[in-house]
Amino acid sequence: MVPIEIRDVSLIYDTPGGKVPGVKDVTLNISASEFVCIVGPSGCGKSTLLNIVAGFLSPAAGEIRIGGKKVDGHGMDRGVVFQDFAQLFPWRTALGNVAFGLEMKGVPKDERERIAHEQLRLVKLEKFTASYPHHLSGGMQQRVAIARALAYNPAVLLMDEPFAALDALTRDDMQRLLADVWRETRKTVIYVTHNVSEAVYLADRVIVMTPHPGTVKAEIRIPLPRPRDPLSVEFLDFQKELLRHLGHGASASEPTKANGKTTA
Amino acid sequence: MTESGQHRRSLVRGTLALLVAAAAYEAMARSGYFAPALLPTLPAIGRTLFASLADGSMIEHAAFTLYRVMFGFALSVVVGLPLGILMARFQHVGNFFLPLVSALMPIPSFALVPLFMLWFGIGNLTTILIVFYAATFPMIFNTWSGVRSVNPIWLRAAGAMGASEHRLFWKVIIPGASPFIITGMRQAFLRAWIAVVGAEMIAASDWGLGWVIFDAKEFLNTDTMLASLIVIGITGFAFERFVFGSIERATVMRWGMMRAAKG
Ligand SMILES: Nc1ncnc2c1ncn2[C@@H]1O[C@H](COP(=O)(O)OP(=O)(O)OP(=O)(O)O)[C@@H](O)[C@H]1O
Ligand SMILES: [Mg+2]
């Protein structure tokens, strides 16, 4: 697996209403096989940063290196999972969706279907290979999206709030599943979330960002053994620490918002 | 299953509507207010229809009409589909063609028949070109809208998975725009079907349903005219329903990109 270096990355959006800072001077070194979560209030530039790493946006300044190689546009060394369920191709079955990347790579049909089957088994959807996305629940669709991003075996997995639109129970299941998948595949992961408990559950390290302009405010290492118990004292302590970072320095409405999330 | 139940109910409703319309017509025809030569009874029309089907003449006329429609329609797809896609994908292609398309579209194809006759003579070429003219614009417009409404997240996802521009085109943009493309084909076919009859009346010689109607006028054969109208209606309906209906069911409805109306 490969490390990711993000060095002094800045991006400013040019909108009709003027210039909007996306991210400013973000520097971040992620080791190979590390699971990093980025948290921060809405609009602080999490998605912007992820899209830069994915290669969908090019930074105005700074650079990204993945495995030592400078990022220039998107590439198959990175798998991307978006928040939107609509990311799956409705005209392809679950299997067809998962096989897409391999098809683009020119992998023969038998081989790519075998791999796609395997990936769907990994996300516990082996019974739904022939289903079209509109017959799958939101959580199942997101699992297909994860399998699709893993299928062509990228070294890096980039995820932008993939479970944000799910109900709390499904989300718990998904987090457990993702933790298992990560343990098996050992990809380098950048995972964006609003949810503090999700970050503590999944991450080796949590990056806290603040808005206007989007910068890295704090980094918190989570050395807890896995699988983690969200009700343990240590877990809750980390959660509190994160909330403190989020509350402090954000706009006045943010602490209540962040607190509201975790009490639920 | 409820779906087949619904299907049956809509079938019953449709048949009922047709029967009521037929009964109203028959009552009018037999009321004595109109000359029977102008308003033949249904059995008379039926006899003419049956006779013309039995001797094969009606089938031959219908085949000619269908040939012109399919040829013109196919041409409209071959031209309209790529043009619509290019207009949506490339700003300057769009800027160039959009005013042209917008200016040409409102011209009724029927109004072009005399002109096309002078240019291309009487016969298949003129009728096919008229059909083509009528069918191309809905094809272009729907494809154009369809491509622009392709969800950008699909393009991003496909790009991230290494899709080349060529693959993106065939594997994402075309299927992504398919609900609009199929709607475009349906509209194009209907327009083609409407246009062909008008074109045949003037610009066809000896063959085609439109020509049959126009020719029958000379001899006051209203039964032949009405029999042809029935064939025109049924063939157009059957195509629209069964051919395009099944394409739709096999693709966009199966994929959940388009749903059947409720109730
Ligand atoms: N396409 C865009 N055009 C202009 N401004 C944008 C665009 N995308 C984001 N921004 C601005 O950049 C800033 C960061 O946005 P970004 O989407 O990265 O935030 P985020 O942290 O992902 O928020 P959320 O948690 O709500 O998803 C915001 O102020 C936003 O208004
Ligand atoms: Mg975001």
Side-chain angles (χ1 to χ4, degrees), chain A:
Chain A
M1 291 302 127
V2 300
I4 303 172
E5 298 161 68
I6 301 170
R7 198 174 306 142
D8 295 323
V9 163
S10 298
L11 186 140
I12 296 164
Y13 287 106
D14 240 332
T15 69
K19 292 194 186 305
V20 181
V23 289
K24 191 164 176 353
D25 298 333
V26 173
T27 296
L28 204 57
N29 286 304
I30 301 170
S31 4
S33 296
E34 192 181 14
F35 198 123
V36 166
C37 277
I38 300 179
V39 299
S42 187
C44 70
K46 305 183 295 291
S47 297
T48 304
L49 184 62
L50 201 80
N51 282 325
I52 294 171
V53 178
F56 298 135
L57 297 172
S58 3
E63 63 171 23
I64 313 261
R65 288 179 177 273
I66 292 179
K69 208 172 134 273
K70 192 169 185 270
V71 165
D72 179 24
H74 46 66
M76 296 196 81
D77 52 347
R78 282 151 284 162
V80 186
V81 181
F82 304 91
Q83 174 177 348
D84 199 345
F85 297 167
Q87 66 191 293
L88 295 182
F89 305 130
W91 55 91
R92 283 179 168 240
T93 60
L95 194 79
N97 265 283
V98 176
F100 189 91
L102 297 163
E103 195 177 325
M104 298 303 112
K105 252 185 171 177
V107 176
K109 195 166 194 288
D110 290 352
E111 176 72 358
R112 65 178 187 248
E113 290 194 347
R114 190 186 59 72
I115 297 172
H117 263 288
E118 211 171 283
Q119 292 301 329
L120 283 166
R121 196 180 43 74
L122 198 64
V123 295
K124 305 201 166 55
L125 282 176
E126 61 271 34
K127 288 204 183 67
F128 296 90
T129 49
S131 303
Y132 285 94
H134 75 120
H135 284 141
L136 301 174
S137 72
M140 290 156 99
Q141 292 185 34
Q142 288 307 74
R143 277 187 276 164
V144 175
I146 292 170
R148 183 172 76 172
L150 289 170
Y152 52 95
N153 199 23
V156 173
L157 199 55
L158 305 172
M159 308 175 92
D160 192 354
E161 308 198 45
F163 307 143
L166 299 175
D167 63 272
L169 280 177
T170 314
R171 179 196 272 249
D172 283 352
D173 282 347
M174 293 292 144
Q175 288 165 7
R176 226 169 296 136
L177 185 95
L178 180 61
D180 290 348
V181 168
W182 176 74
R183 203 179 48 235
E184 265 183 58
T185 60
R186 304 302 291 184
K187 310 262 175 220
T188 312
V189 181
I190 303 182
Y191 186 104
V192 167
T193 178
H194 269 109
N195 188 303
V196 171
S197 121
E198 182 167 71
V200 177
Y201 185 80
L202 291 169
D204 291 316
R205 190 156 47 117
V206 183
I207 311 297
V208 181
M209 285 181 73
T210 49
H212 315 301
T215 48
V216 173
K217 175 162 179 268
E219 294 189 24
I220 297 156
R221 220 163 258 292
I222 317 269
L224 298 177
R226 292 182 168 92
R228 293 172 179 169
D229 174 9
L231 297 176
S232 70
V233 177
E234 298 89 340
F235 194 99
L236 294 171
D237 281 345
F238 276 115
Q239 226 171 293
K240 274 184 211 144
E241 190 183 343
L242 268 180
L243 284 172
R244 212 173 49 243
H245 281 295
L246 281 169
H248 187 77
S251 65
S253 66
E254 291 301 329
T256 39
K257 194 180 155 204
N259 275 320
K261 285 226 156 143
T262 44
T263 45

Side-chain angles (χ1 to χ4, degrees), chain B residues 89-102:
Chain B
R89 288 289 282 172
F90 302 105
Q91 187 94 47
H92 52 277
V93 180
N95 287 344
F96 181 81
F97 279 104
L98 205 58
L100 204 64
V101 169
S102 307

